[in-house]
Amino acid sequence: MKRILLILAVLATWQQWDRIEPMLFGKPQQVAGQGEVILYSTSWCGYCAKTREFLGERGIPYTEMDIEKSPEARRAYDALGGRGVPVLKVNGTVIHGYNPQGILAAY
C-alpha cells in the first residue's frame, strides 16, 4: 500500500512540476528578447493552456489563433504542417507541441 501511495505522489508531482518548480526555485526570469510569437491553438487543449501560462509567466507577448474558430488561422496552421496543437511560430521558427526550451531558443 505504501508503494502505491509513493507512486501516486511521484506521478502527481511530475504532472504539476510547472507549478511546483517556481515555489522551490523562485520565479523564472523575464526573457529579454524581442520577437513575434504566434500560437495556433484550441480552447480545449491542455498543452495550449500550459503554453499560454509559460509565455505569460515570462512576459513573452504573443498572438493566439484558434484553429477551430478562424478559417484564416486553420489555413496558416495547415501551411505550417500542423498535425496537433499547440503549434507556435517564433521569429519564423515553427515549434510543434509544448516545448519551453524550443520557445526560449527561438525567441
Side-chain angles (χ1 to χ4, degrees):
M1 183 66 166
K2 290 180 182 179
R3 286 184 184 186
I4 292 173
L5 291 175
L6 178 62
I7 291 170
L8 290 174
V10 169
L11 285 173
T13 301
W14 179 69
Q15 287 180 331
Q16 298 298 321
W17 185 250
D18 288 343
R19 293 182 181 178
I20 295 170
E21 185 178 26
M23 288 185 266
L24 295 175
F25 304 111
K27 284 217 164 230
Q29 293 185 357
Q30 296 261 337
V31 176
Q34 293 289 330
E36 180 179 286
V37 179
I38 302 173
L39 169 63
Y40 297 92
S41 64
T42 61
S43 60
W44 51 264
C45 168
Y47 285 109
C48 299
K50 287 180 71 118
T51 302
R52 284 184 211 100
E53 183 178 339
F54 175 81
L55 295 170
E57 286 174 349
R58 282 152 184 83
I60 299 173
Y62 65 96
T63 302
E64 185 168 1
M65 307 282 283
D66 190 315
I67 64 169
E68 293 182 325
K69 295 179 181 173
S70 167
E72 176 188 335
R74 182 61 190 216
R75 282 191 295 276
Y77 165 84
D78 289 339
L80 294 173
R83 57 188 180 273
V85 285
V87 172
L88 292 95
K89 189 173 181 185
V90 182
N91 292 325
T93 301
V94 178
I95 301 168
H96 296 273
Y98 177 67
N99 184 348
Q101 291 81 18
I103 295 168
L104 292 176
Y107 191 67

